[in-house]
Amino acid sequence: MTAVIETRALTKRYGEHRGIDEVDLEVHEGEIFGFLGPNGAGKTTTIRVLLDLIRPTSGSAKVFGIETTVDPVAIRRRIGYLSGEFTLYDRLTGAETIDYFANLRGGVDRAYQGQLVERLDLDVSRRFREYSKGNKQKVGLVVALQHRPELLILDEPTAGLDPLVQQTFNALMFEAKAEGRTVFLSSHIISEIERVGDRAGIIREGRLVRVDSVAGLRDLSAHEVELRFPGPVPSAIFEAIEGVSNVSAEGHTLRMLVSGPIAPVVKAAAALELTDFISREPSLEEIFLSEYGREVASSREVVGGRS
């Protein structure tokens, strides 16, 4: 597969403070890649290095095979970008803002521009300073999408959007993918990546700790399985299966955790007489929390202490 984004040992430090540390990442052409992490994990720093808004301390980053520090202008011509802190000219209307960026691009398809405005339900007659957070995001999305870029780099793009507009956003992402374009979607909203992502990377304290397909990330976590029998519970059969743990019996019900593929458990259960089989698949959010468990708990303690 063609790598649209490629980093090798990418590191950025701010004096003694950590930014990102030896990030090795590939984003393939035509995929929607989710970049997951809480605030301060290094998501925005990574994006700023990719756009050459800041320079790496060490390591390298390429976009479209171009070293980001060598020809950033050539890269930016082919990118649509929405920053995580989107602010613009307060006195311009939404229409003026959108047209300003369209003109910087040398013009765009006005019909497509109008479709984006309509689908995102954006009132372009109001001045930017009058917009809510959600409407500012809509303006930013139109600006990022209107020239149909080869690569979309979106930092927390659905912040402030209502659920209906989020559905429209999802549709726009799928349409971009269908056209062969690539999406790099940074977010701490787990369900957002779960709905639209092909693959996801989890960044923690500046380090990329895991990259996999969304389905693969779920498979790395344990399923909760509950089996109900009409008679005695055959615990030993399931305790012997690789990946099965925490087996417990209560009455005619057997509960267990299954790490990795669940097929061996299903096969063993199919050979027995059952009254019910319940399997709860872990959500991406649960996997994310398993990676960040200590950090999240610590954050909650700090917040709780302040309140």
Side-chain angles (χ1 to χ4, degrees), residues 226-245:
E226 183 177 298
L227 306 177
R228 296 175 186 168
F229 300 88
V233 176
S235 302
I237 293 175
F238 295 94
E239 289 172 344
I241 298 174
E242 185 176 357
V244 172
S245 62

Side-chain angles (χ1 to χ4, degrees), residues 24-238:
D24 290 332
L25 177 66
E26 284 191 10
V27 177
H28 305 143
E29 183 177 13
E31 75 171 334
I32 300 175
F33 186 91
F35 199 44
L36 280 166
N39 294 333
K43 303 188 303 299
T44 298
T45 294
T46 303
I47 287 173
R48 288 175 176 167
V49 171
L50 293 176
L51 295 170
D52 196 47
L53 300 176
I54 56 176
R55 292 285 173 96
T57 304
S58 61
S60 66
K62 293 181 180 180
V63 181
F64 305 118
I66 303 169
E67 194 85 32
T68 56
T69 57
V70 172
D71 196 349
V73 175
I75 292 171
R76 291 174 196 162
R77 286 194 186 104
R78 303 164 67 181
I79 286 177
Y81 170 53
L82 176 62
S83 72
E85 298 175 359
F86 183 66
T87 57
L88 280 176
Y89 309 106
D90 283 348
R91 295 184 179 182
L92 295 184
T93 65
E96 290 168 339
T97 300
I98 292 166
D99 285 344
Y100 172 74
F101 282 96
N103 293 333
L104 285 179
R105 291 284 179 182
V108 299
D109 180 346
R110 296 293 178 177
Y112 181 62
Q113 180 193 78
Q115 290 171 19
L116 290 172
V117 169
E118 181 178 356
R119 291 175 67 182
L120 291 169
D121 192 25
L122 174 63
D123 178 0
V124 295
S125 66
R126 299 178 64 184
R127 296 187 187 278
F128 195 79
R129 67 186 175 203
E130 298 172 354
Y131 281 134
S132 65
K133 169 65 174 174
N135 281 320
K136 288 179 179 178
Q137 288 294 104
K138 293 177 186 179
V139 173
L141 285 170
V142 175
V143 167
L145 290 162
Q146 64 179 343
H147 56 293
R148 285 193 170 98
E150 296 172 57
L151 170 62
L152 282 162
I153 296 182
L154 308 175
D155 194 359
E156 309 284 357
T158 62
L161 299 183
D162 64 55
L164 289 177
V165 178
Q166 288 183 27
Q167 289 182 17
T168 301
F169 169 81
N170 293 344
L172 290 168
M173 295 302 98
F174 287 131
E175 289 165 16
K177 177 185 173 183
E179 293 170 1
R181 297 188 278 136
T182 307
V183 180
F184 185 80
L185 177 57
S186 170
S187 182
H188 65 266
I189 303 173
I190 318 304
S191 58
E192 181 173 73
I193 304 302
E194 197 161 20
R195 282 192 295 266
V196 302
D198 298 305
R199 293 192 304 140
I202 297 176
I203 188 167
R204 175 176 185 171
E205 296 179 350
R207 286 185 171 271
L208 194 63
V209 296
R210 184 169 293 168
V211 177
D212 204 340
S213 68
V214 170
L217 285 172
R218 289 198 201 96
D219 287 343
L220 291 172
S221 188
H223 291 67
E224 294 179 3
V225 175
E226 183 177 298
L227 306 177
R228 296 175 186 168
F229 300 88
V233 176
S235 302
I237 293 175
F238 295 94

